Amino acid sequence: MSHSYITLNQINTLPHAEAAALLTGLYEHSDWIAAQALDARPFASAAALKHAMVKVLEKAGRAPQLALVRAHPELAGKAMVSKSLTAESTHEQTKAGLTHCTPEEFAHIQQLNASYNAKFGFPFILAVRGPRGSGLNKQQIISTFERRLHNHPDYELAECLRNIHRIVEIRLNDKLGYEPALGHEVWDWHEWLAQFSDAGLANKRAPHAAREELTVTYLTDAHLKCARTIELGMKACGFDDVRIDAVGNVVGIYKAAQTNTASKAKTLMTGSHYDTVRNGGKYDGRLGIFVPMACVRELARAGQRLPFNLEVVAFAEEEGQRYKATFLGSGALVGDFKNEWLDQKDAEGVTMRQAMKQAGLKIEDIPKLTRNPAEYLGFVEVHIEQGPVLNELDIPLGIVTSINGSVRFVGEVMGMASHAGTTPMDRRRDAATAVAELTLYVEKSAAELNAVSADTAGKPTSACVGTVGMLAVPNGSINVVPGRCQFSLDLRATTDALRDSLMHDVVNELKAICERRGLHYTLEETMRASAAPSDAKLQTLWEHAVQSLGVPVFHLPSGAGHDAMKLHEVMPQAMLFVRGQNAGISHNPLESTTSDDMQLAIDAFMHLLHHLRA
Ligand code: HGY
Ligand code: MN
Ligand code: MN
């Protein structure tokens, strides 16, 4: 059956009523949204039309938004049973297998529908075709339903609307006969790489951890398999030279066009990291490797060369999980590999030197990795936002203005272990309560600094953040007052001055708490990175690239640290953020981004490559 697709040109040029007729069925029983969006035509792209519809609904206000949500059928609900679903919903719910539930699944979903409706007053809405458009399975749908039942009503209304916009995005793609083909491939590459995980490390801490935990730490078996997989992937994409360097970075070069000028072509570096935090997400770092790889493959297939070399680096270690060696991979390229890292031991007592030797890495070659900045045009990095901003604004891409500065510590408070039953409350030297006090102080101090740096509307900013991410009583017992308590500090801010002010605040308070409680402590700084403002020229290239896609140009700082802040020490850099799903959550298995958004990142990257002047 030949399918008659519509075109953007028809949407842009047909008389209003005819154009609107082409867009019926996008928003369930609510064609007024697409019709109203046509007032903003002509649209530079489908992405621009999608965003125009988002804006129409945003401007409409809460009552029409609630009416739209309530116009949707429940999942595997009454409308499905009575076969009164719209054609689109029938297709979507059938594809997700919801029309073939077991009696138990069906009853469970009915129960979830009833509880969700009772709590929120509107039906649960999920884009069941999922982040890749090929469909979630019933188990994924049910676990998402169960998880979202616990959210706040305001969040859930917004999340239902975001899912509706995702449903509309896929329905519009279908109408246009459009597939984000490269986005699908890159999305699948993440799935492929995520098969490798340090099951051992993760399961040691949580014996019954679900198999799908993703933990890839420096030079473990899983990490080495990832390096090999990326190396083979780069070779398949057509890179001219691919190698794994002395610290485990996978480096691919796509050479510049041959010219008869004697001058050597400069190089644009790009990339990100392939290691993960424990029980992390699939896209943190990896997206910034796969997007440029996809671009090189398209260039190679077209026989196209750039006026500069493109060097794509999959950095081996950014998260500092197995060893306290954050940014090891990118640090080695800027001449900042710290030799004292080699003698650090991991949780199993294996030194980094031993791990490197076992991995076949030549430690003596590490100094040779230092790049000569004069040979480079700069560094660009694509990365998931790892936060809620783009997700809440329904904007697929963001221009990073600066990366927050950060400083990290690991520490231990020491007191006296004693009997939990016989030690009076005023005679204790309890290390855990001291760290608990410090943890609450970190939260208070960061909040106070944000209030002081409030924006023009007086709203506290998130100019600084403080986290105690690790907190443990070694060999603790239920009936022993903790004599020791280990902890970590992660302090960040938009400027180094603000970061240092928070740091001095917190360290002074640690001192005061320990004096007051008769305890002592150790504190070791494990990482310090300066705030890294984006290079204006490279940032402008990202802005033009995003603009060319018909996507709003939105600027935001990066709360997360990135390899770009290491390269920032020696060359100009700028980053592009890609929206995350699930409120942009990251460092969590719920980390997610769509193949449509990945396609936009690839298109933006390709635009930058073709507009960067060597
Ligand atoms: O912690 C960070 O900001 C980064 O994900 N390593
Ligand atoms: Mn990370
Ligand atoms: Mn990262």
Side-chain angles (χ1 to χ4, degrees):
M1 179 187 85
S2 79
H3 203 300
S4 56
Y5 296 120
I6 64 173
T7 66
L8 198 62
N9 185 48
Q10 285 174 313
I11 293 166
N12 280 333
T13 55
L14 283 174
H16 190 282
E18 287 176 50
L22 297 177
L23 299 177
T24 54
L26 289 178
Y27 285 88
E28 199 84 354
H29 302 303
S30 311
D31 292 337
W32 62 272
I33 296 168
Q36 235 178 67
L38 289 173
D39 298 348
R41 62 184 179 164
F43 301 109
S45 62
L49 167 57
K50 291 170 193 173
H51 196 71
M53 293 190 284
V54 164
K55 297 307 279 181
V56 163
L57 189 59
E58 183 187 287
K59 285 198 187 85
R62 193 176 181 93
Q65 290 163 6
L66 261 174
L68 170 67
V69 173
R70 288 181 177 137
H72 279 71
E74 290 177 337
L75 291 185
K78 295 181 257 323
M80 185 189 81
V81 174
S82 64
K83 301 204 181 317
S84 59
L85 288 173
T86 60
E88 292 84 357
S89 285
T90 302
H91 171 62
E92 286 145 5
Q93 296 210 22
T94 306
K95 199 173 163 112
L98 291 171
T99 47
H100 296 82
C101 291
T102 63
E104 297 73 24
E105 284 169 338
F106 188 72
H108 185 36
I109 294 175
Q110 295 322 305
Q111 180 50 53
L112 286 168
N113 276 323
S115 314
Y116 189 94
N117 255 307
K119 178 174 178 183
F120 299 113
F122 48 78
F124 170 78
I125 296 175
L126 173 66
V128 293
R129 287 189 46 194
R132 192 192 179 285
S134 42
L136 299 172
N137 63 42
K138 268 183 289 183
Q139 192 38 55
Q140 288 169 320
I141 292 169
I142 290 170
S143 54
T144 303
F145 207 154
E146 288 165 344
R147 174 169 54 82
R148 282 180 44 193
L149 195 51
H150 303 294
N151 285 334
H152 185 280
D154 288 347
Y155 176 84
E156 264 311 296
L157 176 59
E159 187 63 7
C160 283
L161 293 173
R162 280 187 285 268
N163 274 276
I164 289 172
H165 292 314
R166 175 61 182 155
I167 291 166
V168 168
E169 174 166 58
I170 296 172
R171 288 180 179 177
L172 181 60
N173 291 348
D174 289 348
K175 281 180 174 283
L176 291 165
Y178 166 73
E179 281 285 346
L182 285 177
H184 287 339
E185 281 197 81
V186 164
W187 198 92
D188 294 342
W189 291 353
H190 288 90
E191 292 298 300
W192 179 253
L193 199 64
Q195 67 180 298
F196 306 117
S197 178
D198 301 356
L201 266 181
N203 291 346
K204 259 203 186 17
R205 297 169 17 202
H208 307 295
R211 262 297 303 135
E212 73 273 7
E213 271 202 13
L214 178 60
T215 302
V216 179
T217 55
Y218 191 49
L219 299 182
T220 59
D221 281 352
H223 187 272
L224 299 177
K225 286 187 179 117
C226 286
R228 195 64 64 207
T229 302
I230 295 168
E231 180 190 27
L232 293 174
M234 285 186 176
K235 287 178 178 164
C237 286
F239 282 78
D240 301 298
D241 179 68
V242 182
R243 68 188 64 196
I244 296 177
D245 72 13
V247 294
N249 297 326
V250 187
V251 184
I253 306 279
Y254 188 68
K255 287 181 183 161
Q258 295 303 324
T259 58
N260 46 22
T261 57
S263 62
K264 206 168 147 237
K266 291 218 171 186
T267 299
L268 173 70
M269 189 193 292
T270 186
S272 195
H273 59 98
Y274 63 90
D275 66 316
T276 73
V277 295
R278 293 186 184 89
N279 196 18
K282 297 173 186 166
Y283 308 96
D284 176 4
R286 289 141 181 234
L287 182 64
I289 298 166
F290 289 145
V291 164
M293 279 175 63
C295 291
V296 165
R297 197 192 63 184
E298 294 309 291
L299 290 168
R301 280 181 172 172
Q304 278 182 338
R305 289 283 169 176
L306 300 164
F308 47 82
N309 303 307
L310 180 61
E311 181 178 27
V312 181
V313 185
F315 295 107
E317 161 65 278
E318 189 265 7
E319 299 285 7
Q321 300 288 303
R322 183 179 181 186
Y323 299 102
K324 294 172 287 192
T326 312
F327 299 128
L328 181 151
S330 43
L333 302 196
V334 303
D336 189 21
F337 179 89
K338 297 174 174 51
N339 286 320
E340 60 267 26
W341 286 340
L342 292 168
D343 299 318
Q344 274 193 33
K345 292 185 176 171
D346 71 1
E348 269 68 39
V350 177
T351 65
M352 185 186 285
R353 190 189 309 277
Q354 287 166 328
M356 285 180 146
K357 278 222 168 76
Q358 278 162 1
L361 300 178
K362 292 196 177 66
I363 293 169
E364 62 278 14
D365 289 349
I366 292 175
K368 299 176 195 163
L369 302 182
T370 304
R371 296 310 196 262
N372 172 5
E375 295 172 3
Y376 286 84
L377 296 167
F379 179 81
V380 289
E381 181 173 0
V382 173
H383 203 288
I384 51 170
E385 177 203 336
Q386 298 186 290
V389 175
L390 297 175
N391 178 259
E392 287 174 4
L393 291 170
D394 292 292
I395 294 179
L397 302 175
I399 310 287
V400 177
T401 52
S402 174
I403 307 168
N404 286 1
S406 51
V407 64
R408 293 182 190 172
F409 298 88
V410 289
E412 180 164 359
V413 169
M414 280 76 75
M416 177 66 73
S418 59
H419 196 296
T422 57
T423 313
M425 291 313 285
D426 62 355
R427 307 276 186 83
R428 296 175 171 218
R429 294 174 58 209
D430 183 338
T433 46
V435 177
E437 229 188 308
L438 179 74
T439 304
L440 290 175
Y441 184 83
V442 166
E443 187 181 52
K444 186 167 76 69
S445 176
E448 281 166 4
L449 282 170
N450 287 332
V452 165
S453 51
D455 62 20
T456 46
K459 191 164 161 272
T461 63
S462 55
C464 65
V465 288
T467 312
V468 175
M470 297 164 80
L471 202 154
V473 174
N475 309 317
S477 302
I478 192 166
N479 57 351
V480 177
V481 175
R484 292 171 58 199
C485 187
Q486 295 163 342
F487 64 93
S488 65
L489 287 173
D490 178 323
L491 309 172
R492 312 190 192 199
T494 46
T495 66
D496 291 356
L498 201 54
R499 174 201 66 191
D500 295 348
S501 157
L502 176 62
M503 180 186 71
H504 294 313
D505 228 7
V506 169
V507 174
N508 291 339
E509 182 64 15
L510 172 61
K511 226 176 260 154
I513 291 169
C514 288
E515 274 159 18
R516 196 166 56 242
R517 289 173 172 266
L519 309 173
H520 57 282
Y521 69 90
T522 61
L523 196 61
E524 177 197 351
E525 181 179 311
T526 60
M527 184 274 262
R528 178 181 290 248
S530 290
S534 300
D535 169 72
K537 191 178 139 216
L538 292 174
Q539 182 176 314
T540 304
L541 281 167
W542 279 130
E543 288 161 358
H544 291 168
V546 169
Q547 214 158 21
S548 75
L549 303 176
V551 169
V553 176
F554 181 81
H555 296 84
L556 71 169
S558 172
H562 300 288
D563 292 301
M565 67 203 306
K566 280 311 282 183
L567 277 302
H568 179 83
E569 293 171 14
V570 300
M571 63 177 79
Q573 60 78 23
M575 293 185 71
L576 178 72
F577 271 172
V578 179
R579 166 176 49 184
Q581 302 297 309
N582 300 327
I585 193 168
S586 180
H587 286 185
N588 180 302
L590 287 174
E591 195 176 274
S592 170
T593 186
T594 68
S595 53
D596 282 83
D597 288 356
M598 290 182 180
Q599 179 71 53
L600 289 170
I602 294 162
D603 296 342
F605 201 100
M606 201 58 107
H607 187 280
L608 178 137
L609 290 176
H610 287 308
H611 290 77
L612 174 59
R613 290 294 156 254

